[in-house]
Amino acid sequence: MLSGRAVVFERYSRATPLGAYLEEGRRFREEGFIRTDYPPKRDEVLWNPKIMRMPREELEKIKTQRLKAIVKWAWEHSEFYRKFWKSKGFHPDMIKTHEDVVKIPVLTKKDLRADLQKNPPYGTIMVPELAKYIHFVGATSGSTGMPTFQGWGRVELDYFEEQQARYLWTFAGVKPGVVYANYLNMSGFYSWGPPLVETAMWRCGATAIAGGGETFFTWKDRHMLIMKLWKVDVFATTPWLHRWIGEQAKLEGWVTPFKVLLLHGGAAAEKTKEKLMEVHPNVEKVISVWGTTDGHMAIEPPDAPGTLVFWEDTQIFDIVVPGSYEERPEGEPAGQGERGELIATLLTHYTMPLIRYSLGDYVKNEFICDPTPELGITHCRFAELIPGRVEWMFKVKGKLLFPIVVENAVSQIPDTTGAYNIVVYDDNMDKLKIKVETRKPIPPPPEYDKEAREIIARELGLSPEDVEIEWIRPGESVWKGYKLQVFLDERKK
């Protein structure tokens, strides 16, 4: 008998899409890809050693099998993919190995939104029979006007909770007796809220607190009290809210209890991580967690810092020259070591397949596939943390920059809170205009402003005269919910 919250898959005819879907879910469990005897014993180091240390040859074979299967499934059961792929000259028979994923036309949010608007609420990409059995709906932020939705059935949820448990147990030490507080967004259809992350906590046997980062500033006194009373061990939110809470606790005269910080919602600069360790003295680990509403994830292993491991039994990534798929359907592959646009394929999402989907993130085309030095995890890793999205790139004096580089500089300026807003007013600016919170009087002494501009200029490869700082008081920077709005776009749309 399965322990924990084991999913019971009913016996449906495999001849139907629903029956085949549920059969696949059973197979994932029977073959050990989803652990069912949870929680493990506390002394077990890896959540799922069989899969997390799977030999490379087996992983490659699994990726090929699953890519062929999901492409065939989408062709047969999704009206959207049949029409989309036919219009681009693609057929499933073109896939021989997982490396052939680059032959599949790139799917963009623009494509999804067009279909969604014609066929609300999900468009024709959803498999009709499975759409009747959706357990959970997630959505993107819709910052460009129209959100895109992702339907999760029981198989997708089951596997996603497994993926979460792999890093929570193994990297963050989330085990029975540990208190975990999730301060990600809990509203607006956000997919990493209670239906997914908290259920992974229960698999680990931990105590889960669903805090809700977007409510923090409305109820901050209540949230700070809960953190003290419950002595939270593992705390998950954005790097900026982590910093704000630590700074506020110091001002109030108490020390946060956190031992592990999980950084979501944006990559943290190295200097930011150092500051987090300063304002949270009990912290032993600071771990970056990258993920998407759609279900992708990559996590920074403690024994391979600065990289991001991703579970290859569930997803395939490739990188193309940004926007090159507008000229050719499959896009132009980025050169080895070059940075480009991240394209992703989910191998275990059948209800709403996302195949060769442009995530818009900007990352180096370099992967490390040697086992991690201590844990021996064999799944590949991004060679660097993902710095941001393609749309976040901006230029000053012709130099291409990212907010994370600016953040690394701001974190080195004395007497600042770490909060800042970059003002982007043109595609190629002649000056970096930035708002920075300081505890100095406003305006601060001229020598302080001079030193700050020199620090930023040095980190960005600019001249101090190319940096213009608007000093603001603590609490005056612009936030969007639990995320610092690091990028204020004032360009004409």
Side-chain angles (χ1 to χ4, degrees):
M1 180 177 289
L2 303 180
S3 63
R5 293 179 60 254
V7 177
V8 178
F9 292 105
E10 296 93 342
R11 295 289 174 180
Y12 288 90
S13 169
R14 293 187 63 183
T16 67
L18 179 60
Y21 170 74
L22 295 176
E23 180 65 27
E24 193 71 356
R26 277 193 293 272
R27 207 159 55 77
F28 289 151
R29 286 173 156 258
E30 290 169 358
E31 295 177 359
F33 289 97
I34 298 174
R35 183 164 188 162
T36 57
D37 59 330
Y38 44 78
K41 295 179 181 178
R42 284 186 61 90
D43 60 355
E44 289 192 40
V45 177
L46 271 67
W47 172 264
N48 193 333
K50 173 187 173 182
I51 305 304
M52 295 169 75
R53 289 177 176 158
M54 179 175 279
R56 290 298 315 165
E57 310 81 60
E58 292 184 39
L59 272 175
E60 302 292 332
K61 186 184 298 184
I62 289 296
K63 288 194 294 183
T64 291
Q65 291 173 349
R66 292 190 176 178
L67 179 62
K68 285 182 176 181
I70 197 67
V71 169
K72 183 174 184 289
W73 172 273
W75 180 270
E76 293 177 350
H77 300 295
S78 170
E79 177 188 346
F80 174 88
Y81 278 107
R82 279 196 306 277
K83 290 182 177 178
F84 180 67
W85 285 343
K86 283 182 179 179
S87 71
K88 305 290 183 179
F90 173 78
H91 189 276
D93 290 345
M94 296 167 69
I95 302 297
K96 306 299 181 186
T97 76
H98 67 87
E99 294 178 344
D100 291 330
V101 70
V102 297
K103 297 177 180 178
I104 302 173
V106 173
L107 176 66
T108 69
K109 285 185 180 179
K110 182 179 178 182
D111 298 317
L112 285 185
R113 289 192 181 104
D115 181 52
L116 184 151
Q117 288 175 320
K118 291 179 182 178
N119 306 280
Y122 304 115
T124 58
I125 193 169
M126 190 83 71
V127 175
E129 185 173 345
L130 301 190
K132 303 173 187 176
Y133 301 96
I134 292 173
H135 285 15
F136 177 70
V137 175
T140 59
S141 63
S143 57
T144 57
M146 171 66 75
T148 58
F149 296 95
Q150 171 72 2
W152 299 70
R154 63 175 63 185
V155 173
E156 290 86 6
L157 287 171
D158 195 27
Y159 218 134
F160 191 79
E161 290 165 21
E162 159 72 19
Q163 295 177 79
Q164 291 275 343
R166 288 180 191 177
Y167 82 83
L168 289 166
W169 178 279
T170 308
F171 299 169
V174 176
K175 300 181 178 183
V178 169
V179 178
Y180 167 94
N182 182 1
Y183 271 69
L184 306 183
N185 196 355
M186 297 295 159
S187 60
F189 298 97
Y190 189 67
S191 292
W192 286 41
L196 273 68
V197 178
E198 269 58 48
T199 46
M201 293 301 112
W202 299 331
R203 293 191 182 207
C204 295
T207 299
I209 297 174
E214 75 277 28
T215 69
F216 184 85
F217 290 106
T218 306
W219 291 350
K220 59 179 179 293
D221 292 339
R222 173 188 175 92
H223 286 301
M224 296 290 270
L225 178 62
I226 288 171
M227 292 170 197
K228 285 191 284 187
L229 292 179
W230 279 86
K231 300 191 184 308
V232 173
D233 299 296
V234 180
F235 190 60
T237 192
T238 62
W240 314 290
L241 189 52
H242 275 305
R243 173 80 181 268
W244 192 98
I245 290 169
E247 298 275 3
Q248 186 65 23
K250 285 178 63 178
L251 290 174
E252 295 176 6
W254 61 283
V255 176
T256 58
F258 318 133
K259 297 181 179 67
V260 179
L261 301 182
L262 297 178
L263 312 185
H264 292 257
E270 196 57 40
K271 294 297 181 181
T272 298
K273 285 187 175 183
E274 293 176 10
K275 286 291 182 181
L276 293 179
M277 299 288 280
E278 287 180 21
V279 298
H280 298 289
N282 289 311
V283 164
E284 299 165 2
K285 294 180 185 176
V286 178
I287 299 172
S288 294
V289 180
W290 170 86
T292 71
T293 304
D294 313 296
H296 300 282
M297 70 173 74
I299 311 93
E300 184 177 19
D303 60 335
T307 67
L308 291 171
V309 67
F310 53 94
W311 311 125
E312 292 185 83
D313 54 315
T314 68
Q315 55 200 334
I316 293 176
F317 293 109
D318 67 281
I319 299 165
V320 303
V321 175
S324 59
Y325 41 77
E326 295 175 3
E327 299 176 3
R328 45 185 283 195
E330 69 277 18
E332 179 70 28
Q336 178 66 25
E338 293 180 353
R339 288 184 175 85
E341 187 171 350
L342 187 60
I343 310 296
T345 297
L346 289 170
L347 299 174
T348 56
H349 278 235
Y350 287 82
T351 301
M352 180 177 164
L354 284 176
I355 301 171
R356 202 111 197 281
Y357 182 52
S358 170
L359 299 178
D361 288 282
Y362 189 69
V363 66
K364 184 187 290 186
N365 186 22
E366 182 180 348
F367 298 93
I368 301 170
C369 298
D370 296 328
T372 60
E374 296 174 17
L375 295 170
I377 296 172
T378 54
H379 296 243
C380 287
R381 310 189 299 279
F382 290 101
E384 65 173 10
L385 303 182
I386 296 174
R389 302 181 67 80
V390 171
E391 61 196 33
W392 290 0
M393 296 186 293
F394 62 99
K395 288 183 178 181
V396 177
K397 291 287 182 73
K399 190 175 183 63
L400 191 63
L401 298 171
F402 260 104
I404 192 172
V405 182
V406 179
E407 180 176 306
N408 205 56
V410 171
S411 295
Q412 299 176 55
I413 301 172
D415 297 310
T416 60
T417 67
Y420 66 98
N421 302 125
I422 302 166
V423 180
V424 179
Y425 55 90
D426 200 352
D427 290 336
N428 192 2
M429 302 181 290
D430 57 358
K431 278 192 175 186
L432 172 69
K433 292 186 178 182
I434 183 171
K435 300 181 180 184
V436 181
E437 288 188 0
T438 182
R439 297 190 184 90
K440 294 282 189 182
I442 304 294
E447 59 272 17
Y448 178 76
D449 179 80
K450 180 176 181 292
E451 180 188 1
R453 288 188 294 107
E454 288 173 348
I455 291 172
I456 294 175
R458 182 178 65 243
E459 289 291 317
L460 274 59
L462 300 172
S463 165
E465 289 70 35
D466 298 331
V467 180
E468 181 180 306
I469 302 175
E470 178 186 342
W471 295 103
I472 55 179
R473 295 179 177 84
E476 292 184 348
S477 55
V478 180
W479 288 67
K480 185 178 181 181
Y482 69 137
K483 289 186 179 184
L484 186 69
Q485 193 76 15
V486 298
F487 194 82
L488 301 181
D489 195 344
E490 296 185 354
R491 292 173 292 186
K492 292 181 179 180
K493 301 299 182 182

